[in-house]
Amino acid sequence: MAGNNEAAARSILRNVGGEGNLVSVMRCATRLRLEVADSSKVNRRALEQVEGVIQLAGTDERPQVVLGARTASVYEELVKLPGVAAHEDDSGVKVEKNALATFMDTVSGIFLPVIGVMAGAGMLKALLILCTTIGVLAEADGTYRILWAAADGIFTYIPLFLGYTSSKKFGANPFIGMAIAAGLISQDLAAAKTAGEAVSFLGIPVTLVTYTSNVMPIIFACYLSSKWEKFLSKRIPSAVHFLVPMLCLVVMVPLTFVVIGPVMNWVGNLLADGYQRIVALNPVVAGGLLGFVWPVCVMFGIQRCFVPIVMNNIATLGHDTLFVITGPNNFAQAGACLGVLLKTKRASVKEVATPAAVSALLAGTTEPAIYGINLKYKRPFYIAMVFTGIGGAIVAASGTYVPALIDTSLLTLPAYLASGVGPFVGFCAAAAISYFGSAICSYLFGFNDSMVIDEAADGAVEGE
């Protein structure tokens, strides 16, 4: 399999124009996110035919190669190839981007490296909630407290992680970013805030903000710090270059406490309050619309752009509902894929649909189901959109929420007990309706084997 992954990596690199054309490469759970300098050198048809590639998404300038479970393995082989690792952070090649592309690239670069561990910690929180609900553990137990520390640590000290990833994304020293974050979560100043103590800097009053679990202040602080660091690096002699980190801390930490932190905290509260008001205005309509369009967001790979809003909701409200309302999409995509799996008699379709349906249901990884089956045959995808909308309306009306960033799947359902038995039942009902509704409708109306005729013409159908 390692040889297959290496061959796939080489084919991908060749068909995006080679190492000289590859500006950057990142990955998420199921796809490689590439950026190229010259889009005319990208051979989309050849990329789609590379062994293991489920679908090619994105644009020619920013192709996304969907590989499913093989993504991590192919990525490891890709960055080993000559010249590719150098492109991973900054190749120096300037590529024109619109505002949306820049925003997506920035958010992905900052949050993707920590999404996996946040999801794992969220899953651990879900298991602990289940254990306390059924009486296996009590919150006062040492075992519970230690495991809760393991689950809650990344969310409490998320500024440290984002200080690293943000600085790296902005082309600055990531350890300076971490040092700024460490200053913001100072226990001394946190205690001063709790005690209501008045604090000032050089006579300027400081509005103390809770920076633990907060994401927006550190990202903006690291962005400005990157500009300041580059300015200093060009003007300070290498013999005394150690002054650069000191001057970054001397300027950026006070600036964040005095200006950036309070302003971004206000913006974060405004966003959280605005989101809450929109959902509260008419939960059924808001949840239905959000659920209906969510599969399209996943299709274009922009769902992770909503992570800052989710993290902001958790920091300001103590919980999130956005990813909960959109959670039925995972069950709807799994169900639609299952409907195709049960209906088809073609071995080639079953080979793709079986693992895709299982991974969407048990792991919440829907890209293989979307690209490999549902979107490919269109009707199952449209059916999943409808049932995701129905599920989203039910969830919003039920008031279900979760206390952490959690990937929705059958295995993470206990996490939704945090919102109470009633909301939990509401979410389970939404998940069941989305799953079985999509499966039944896809089986009856969404697919038949005649849709695979074009594949047969291309010699892609096996066992016929």
Side-chain angles (χ1 to χ4, degrees), residues 205-360:
V206 175
T207 302
L208 292 176
V209 172
T210 300
Y211 290 100
T212 52
S213 303
N214 214 330
V215 299
M216 296 179 71
I218 185 59
I219 292 174
F220 278 84
C222 287
Y223 172 74
L224 293 179
S225 178
S226 70
K227 302 297 184 183
W228 178 233
E229 180 187 340
K230 291 171 185 175
F231 174 84
L232 293 173
S233 296
K234 291 178 181 178
R235 289 160 177 81
I236 293 179
S238 58
V240 288
H241 200 264
F242 61 87
L243 293 175
V244 172
M246 183 194 76
L247 292 174
C248 284
L249 294 175
V250 165
V251 172
M252 293 311 306
V253 173
L255 182 63
T256 304
F257 272 114
V258 175
V259 180
I260 299 173
V263 170
M264 295 316 303
N265 188 64
W266 174 78
V267 171
N269 287 330
L270 198 65
L271 285 173
D273 183 62
Y275 169 77
Q276 289 287 92
R277 287 176 182 272
I278 291 172
V279 174
L281 189 65
N282 193 316
V284 174
V285 173
L289 288 175
L290 182 58
F292 182 75
V293 302
W294 193 250
V296 180
C297 294
V298 177
M299 180 182 75
F300 286 109
I302 63 174
Q303 73 275 24
R304 293 304 184 189
C305 293
F306 293 87
V307 171
I309 297 176
V310 171
M311 296 303 298
N312 182 68
N313 287 343
I314 294 170
T316 56
L317 304 173
H319 60 264
D320 172 62
T321 59
L322 195 157
F323 275 5
V324 180
I325 290 173
T326 58
N329 175 59
N330 294 4
F331 294 96
Q333 299 296 342
C337 192
L338 176 65
V340 174
L341 174 63
L342 296 176
K343 185 68 173 285
T344 187
K345 295 180 180 179
R346 292 178 177 265
S348 60
V349 178
K350 289 180 181 290
E351 184 180 348
V352 176
T354 301
V358 172
S359 66

Side-chain angles (χ1 to χ4, degrees), residues 3-26:
N4 291 342
N5 292 330
E6 182 182 357
R10 290 185 180 277
S11 296
I12 290 170
L13 180 60
R14 182 174 62 255
N15 289 305
V16 296
E19 63 182 74
N21 197 44
L22 185 59
V23 176
S24 67
V25 51
M26 294 194 306

Side-chain angles (χ1 to χ4, degrees), residues 105-119:
D105 179 65
T106 301
V107 172
S108 296
I110 291 172
F111 284 95
L112 275 177
V114 293
I115 285 290
V117 68
M118 283 197 292

Side-chain angles (χ1 to χ4, degrees), residues 133-178:
T133 301
I134 64 179
V136 174
L137 289 175
E139 292 186 8
D141 293 345
T143 301
Y144 173 89
R145 292 166 68 184
I146 289 172
L147 290 176
W148 186 261
D152 194 52
I154 185 172
F155 297 104
T156 301
Y157 299 108
I158 190 65
L160 284 172
F161 295 83
L162 297 184
Y164 183 92
T165 59
S166 298
S167 296
K168 191 172 182 181
K169 181 60 186 175
F170 297 134
N173 185 337
F175 295 101
I176 292 178
M178 292 184 72

Side-chain angles (χ1 to χ4, degrees), residues 42-118:
V42 176
N43 189 336
R44 294 184 71 90
R45 182 171 179 81
L47 277 172
E48 290 173 338
Q49 294 174 350
V50 172
E51 181 186 358
V53 172
I54 298 171
Q55 181 83 11
L56 184 64
T59 64
D60 284 347
E61 293 81 8
R62 304 172 64 77
Q64 298 177 11
V65 185
V66 183
L67 291 158
R70 291 183 60 186
T71 301
S73 300
V74 174
Y75 173 82
E76 289 176 4
E77 296 298 331
L78 182 59
V79 296
K80 290 178 184 176
L81 298 178
V84 175
H87 293 302
E88 186 178 357
D89 294 323
D90 183 11
S91 67
V93 179
K94 301 299 180 183
V95 178
E96 228 178 281
K97 305 176 189 176
N98 58 40
L100 179 60
T102 300
F103 175 75
M104 290 172 57
D105 179 65
T106 301
V107 172
S108 296
I110 291 172
F111 284 95
L112 275 177
V114 293
I115 285 290
V117 68
M118 283 197 292

Side-chain angles (χ1 to χ4, degrees), residues 172-187:
N173 185 337
F175 295 101
I176 292 178
M178 292 184 72
I180 294 171
L184 297 182
I185 57 178
S186 160
Q187 293 184 3

